[in-house]
Amino acid sequence: MPGDLRVLGACPLDCPDTCSWVVTVEDGRPVGLRGNPDHPYTRGALCVKVNRYLEHTRADDRILHPMRRTGPKGSGQFERITWEEALDEISVRLRGIVEEHGGEAIWPYLGTGSLGYLQGCEGVAGRRFWNMLGASKHYLNICSGAGNSGLRRTTGTAAGMDPENFALAKLIVLWGTNPLTSGHHLWKFIQEARANGAYVVAVDPIRTRSADQADEHLAIRPGTDAALALGLLNVVLAENAQDDEFLAEHTEGWDDFREEILRHPVERVAEITGIPAESVHRLGIRLARTRPTALRATHGLQRHAGGGTALRTIAAIPGVTGDWRHPGGGVAFSTSDHVHLAVDRRDDLLARPVRTLVMTKLASQLDDVKCLWVYAANPAGSSPDANTIRRKLAREDLFTVVMEQFPTDTVDYADIVLPATMQTEHMDLHAGYGHLYLLWNEPAGPPPGECLSTTETFRRLARHMGMSEPSLYDSDLELAEQLLSSGHPSLAGITLDRLRKEGWVRMNYPKPFAPFADGFPTPSGRLRFPPAKEAYVPPHSVRAAGSSPYRLTLITPASHLFLNTTFGNNPELRRRAKDPVVLVNPADAAERGLAGGQRVRVHNDGGEFLADVEISDRVAAGVVASPKGRWPKFTPGGANPNAVVAERDGDMGRGPAFHDNLVEISAV
């Protein structure tokens, strides 16, 4: 309509696609939202979840004002207070904690509810303020800690191929990833490749939406991916299809790694992975004969005891085949390490070094914390060992502040709740971890009620506490200018003015982009193969199977309708999601006398959650699956699958083990 305003922005949520979007504004009010048709990756489409984002900003349960707890912790009983009252109480409590216990008794717990470089976790929003107080640092490991660590040990970086180059591949392996649910824009490039004859294989414990659309699905035993990688390379060697020139010029440790590959013949790998030997051999032959081969391996793959090693060994595959030299070849896990923004956390503001607390260790590391400050996170619904977390959040001596948009399960335990803006209401700068574009988010309308952005909240709190450090008061535009000032060649010519005008800009990488064609960012400039005996770490579920009374391995995949726990309160998406289900193989259901639709307890020593049985061959015998993302308060029994997820580190990067837990299923 004449007079409408189109405002360019970006989706802030924890998804590799980081979509560019367009908001239509009438009379100062956002009235329409669509994917940006001009963006080369978004191409006009948003996902089923984000399509409802504007509706979500106007939800009846939106938190609009500061609140103080009036009932017991966990009750969700609050009274409205003013910002002045909230800042007064917070200031007094923070000063008292620092004076009595030291700044490290404060845990700023920042999650992936926003991936913004201003308002969210990528820029570590608020860290300058916390450094002034000497607060503990926060290690955000919940998503990709193990995989990032494993890849860096092999290639020197967690960055890999440009996902747009999947259009150039002739063989595509979707390894532990379900892009049609979690990052569906990649599928357009897969379709382009298929139109040119590419073959698509899905390696996944679950026959997902994406596996349904693939040419072939290999139902792998959870956590045995590195063994499969070794078995496939065994076939490559048998075919004499290794790239000897690339191996000689661009790798190190090959002789040792080659011996480890030879110790993993197809028959042994079939026994480890549960994949028929003929299927392993067939894919190995394809891998040997097909250039370029693109491997898509994302976060679900590395959430087990050997997750870092899995990515480390998978990244070695294109080192053997030489696919790293070809556009359209290699591994795509994350593009984040291709982003070189100048994130200045101002650690110089710390009076002394402080400890680092680990995001997924909330249950065990909370005991000596006196203030938990939660933002862009919902640990009561998203973190391991959920029952212990809820018990410890109920401590009366734990001062808990939650900056939030909606009354999550974590909000129910807060002492003070601060109303937070949503993406259409504040500025932010984004970079996708599944593409090579920077995006600017311009606010499309004013915040409702008394909601404040993360940056403005910390500016006001710093002022209220009388802090004089100038950098605490940098405006959002000043912070954005600082981020773009790194001087890295990938940012040459990308100014804030340009970004605000155009909405998105591709970083200065060629098209097509083969990042390691001429070497790797390691000290030697070579890919480092895993040492012998370190190329496969069995998952906990395999190692414990003989001694545990629990015999089913639980997988908690992403939901098609929720993103982590974001949208978990949306009435329409909850209606469409129906009651929680657990997928059970027919053989396991028959052994336990379970019927389809039956309400059951999924349980282990950590706890239990309730779900309805869906008998399906989408999971192999011995594996059960129940999607994550539900709010416990809206779930039968008041618990989601994290009640049975152990607080256990993986092999690298302190990665969590969401897909590596043994359970049993019993009728209610």
Side-chain angles (χ1 to χ4, degrees):
M1 293 176 60
D4 287 356
L5 176 67
R6 294 172 71 255
V7 178
L8 298 177
C11 178
L13 301 179
D14 186 11
C15 166
D17 293 7
T18 309
C19 289
S20 174
W21 69 32
V22 182
V23 183
T24 302
V25 178
E26 292 180 4
D27 300 322
R29 181 174 182 267
V31 296
L33 176 72
R34 63 172 297 194
N36 188 344
D38 298 326
H39 190 275
Y41 205 78
T42 303
R43 296 189 182 184
L46 300 175
C47 68
V48 67
K49 302 173 275 286
V50 176
N51 274 329
R52 312 192 76 89
Y53 194 86
L54 276 187
E55 168 195 298
H56 204 50
T57 67
R58 299 189 286 265
D60 292 340
D61 58 347
R62 180 82 187 267
I63 295 172
L64 300 176
H65 310 282
M67 299 187 295
R68 178 192 291 122
R69 176 170 63 90
T70 59
K73 288 199 171 188
S75 67
Q77 298 173 20
F78 298 96
E79 63 179 357
R80 177 178 172 179
I81 58 175
T82 67
W83 265 103
E84 190 72 14
E85 290 173 313
L87 294 175
D88 279 343
E89 184 165 341
I90 290 169
S91 298
V92 169
R93 295 293 296 270
L94 289 180
R95 285 194 189 97
I97 289 168
V98 171
E99 289 172 5
E100 184 175 353
H101 303 284
E104 287 177 292
I106 301 169
W107 188 346
Y109 192 97
L110 173 58
T112 61
S114 167
L115 300 191
Y117 277 82
L118 301 180
Q119 312 298 344
C121 65
E122 292 291 0
V124 195
R127 188 64 237 177
R128 296 176 181 182
F129 173 82
W130 299 121
N131 285 345
M132 290 293 294
L133 291 179
S136 293
K137 293 185 178 181
H138 172 71
Y139 177 38
L140 200 158
N141 67 318
I142 198 165
C143 282
S144 56
N148 284 338
S149 181
L151 285 167
R152 287 168 185 154
R153 294 189 189 199
T154 296
T155 64
T157 175
M161 62 180 291
D162 179 355
E164 292 185 57
N165 285 358
F166 271 67
L168 306 175
K170 295 303 182 183
L171 172 63
I172 294 173
V173 181
L174 302 175
W175 206 321
T177 188
N178 179 18
L180 287 177
T181 283
S182 302
H184 71 90
H185 294 83
L186 180 70
W187 204 259
K188 298 181 181 73
F189 301 97
I190 294 173
Q191 288 176 313
E192 289 181 37
R194 294 180 94 170
N196 291 316
Y199 190 82
V200 180
V201 180
V203 177
D204 201 299
I206 308 170
R207 196 173 75 248
T208 63
R209 290 170 180 260
S210 302
D212 279 340
Q213 298 300 316
D215 296 298
E216 187 175 358
H217 170 227
L218 303 185
I220 192 169
R221 184 169 290 126
T224 61
D225 307 274
L228 176 59
L230 293 168
L232 295 176
L233 288 175
N234 189 283
V235 179
V236 170
L237 292 186
E239 293 291 301
N240 197 30
Q242 70 277 4
D243 187 327
D244 290 320
E245 180 183 356
F246 191 85
L247 287 166
E249 294 182 359
H250 296 301
T251 72
E252 60 184 65
W254 169 236
D255 290 341
D256 194 32
F257 186 57
R258 182 179 182 277
E259 292 304 311
E260 186 67 9
I261 292 170
L262 295 176
R263 284 190 281 269
H264 286 79
V266 165
E267 292 74 17
R268 181 188 176 196
V269 167
E271 196 173 302
I272 294 170
T273 64
I275 299 171
E278 58 270 25
S279 297
V280 176
H281 185 263
R282 184 168 59 244
L283 180 55
I285 292 292
R286 287 189 183 277
L287 179 63
R289 298 176 180 175
T290 311
R291 305 276 78 74
T293 289
L295 309 174
R296 176 66 161 176
T298 53
H299 296 159
L301 172 65
Q302 40 94 70
R303 289 176 177 155
H304 60 83
T309 297
L311 264 297
R312 185 183 191 184
T313 303
I314 288 170
I317 292 175
V320 176
T321 62
D323 274 295
W324 280 124
R325 73 160 83 233
H326 302 296
V331 177
F333 176 71
S334 169
T335 57
S336 291
D337 278 6
H338 288 309
V339 180
H340 295 280
L341 295 172
V343 178
D344 187 359
R345 297 170 175 84
R346 291 299 306 273
D347 284 351
D348 60 298
L349 299 178
L350 285 166
R352 60 178 181 80
V354 296
R355 67 180 177 176
T356 297
L357 298 172
V358 179
M359 186 176 193
T360 56
K361 291 289 187 175
L362 184 63
S364 60
Q365 294 187 341
L366 194 55
D367 289 342
D368 63 346
V369 172
K370 299 301 180 183
C371 172
L372 179 69
W373 189 293
V374 180
Y375 50 128
N378 180 20
S382 297
S383 294
D385 198 0
N387 290 335
T388 300
I389 287 173
R390 293 171 79 165
R391 286 196 301 271
K392 293 189 176 183
L393 288 176
R395 279 174 37 206
E396 283 296 331
D397 69 325
L398 177 66
F399 179 54
T400 302
V401 179
V402 181
M403 299 163 63
E404 247 299 348
Q405 302 150 354
F406 298 101
T408 65
D409 292 84
T410 305
V411 164
D412 288 347
Y413 289 88
D415 294 288
I416 298 290
V417 181
L418 301 178
T421 49
M422 295 180 69
Q423 187 74 346
T424 51
E425 302 153 7
H426 57 226
M427 293 180 179
D428 215 338
L429 176 62
H430 288 266
Y433 64 88
H435 58 60
L436 295 174
Y437 299 88
L438 297 182
L439 304 95
W440 178 256
N441 184 79
E442 192 74 18
E450 297 179 276
C451 297
L452 295 181
S453 67
T454 302
T455 48
E456 180 59 20
T457 296
F458 284 113
R459 283 190 288 261
R460 291 196 186 187
L461 183 55
R463 189 172 294 111
H464 207 82
M465 295 187 71
M467 295 180 178
S468 59
E469 164 56 40
S471 68
L472 298 174
Y473 304 103
D474 288 345
S475 70
D476 289 355
L477 292 177
E478 288 172 328
L479 292 168
E481 292 275 16
Q482 293 164 21
L483 286 163
L484 293 168
S485 69
S486 71
H488 192 272
S490 66
L491 301 180
I494 303 177
T495 64
L496 182 57
D497 285 345
R498 179 186 173 192
L499 199 53
R500 293 186 75 184
K501 180 181 178 180
E502 299 179 17
W504 56 269
V505 178
R506 182 179 168 93
M507 291 178 285
N508 294 307
Y509 293 107
K511 270 194 170 186
F513 180 39
F516 310 134
D518 299 315
F520 295 82
T522 59
S524 66
R526 294 169 175 263
L527 179 145
R528 299 173 295 199
F529 286 117
K533 309 298 185 184
E534 295 182 23
Y536 168 55
V537 174
H540 169 80
S541 56
V542 168
R543 297 200 302 263
S547 57
S548 173
Y550 308 108
R551 296 184 295 122
L552 300 171
T553 300
L554 174 68
I555 300 292
T556 59
S559 166
H560 196 69
L561 297 169
F562 309 130
L563 203 163
N564 300 330
T565 62
T566 301
F567 304 113
N569 60 322
N570 184 281
E572 175 58 19
L573 294 178
R574 285 176 57 204
R575 183 192 68 79
R576 292 172 63 181
K578 302 178 182 178
D579 283 343
V581 299
V582 56
L583 296 180
V584 184
N585 183 271
D588 293 323
E591 181 181 345
R592 291 159 179 79
L594 303 176
Q598 181 179 8
R599 178 65 53 84
V600 294
R601 296 170 54 240
V602 183
H603 60 95
N604 59 20
D605 291 341
E608 66 178 49
F609 68 96
L610 303 181
D612 296 336
V613 170
E614 181 178 326
I615 300 175
S616 174
D617 64 359
R618 288 188 174 275
V619 291
V623 178
V624 295
S626 190
K628 65 178 180 178
R630 294 178 182 270
W631 290 14
K633 66 167 73 176
F634 295 147
T635 304
N640 67 18
N642 287 326
V644 300
V645 172
E647 190 189 72
R648 185 189 307 117
D649 281 349
D651 56 338
M652 297 179 191
R654 306 204 70 172
F658 286 102
H659 303 323
D660 196 4
N661 296 275
L662 293 170
V663 299
E664 259 305 333
I665 298 181
S666 308
V668 173

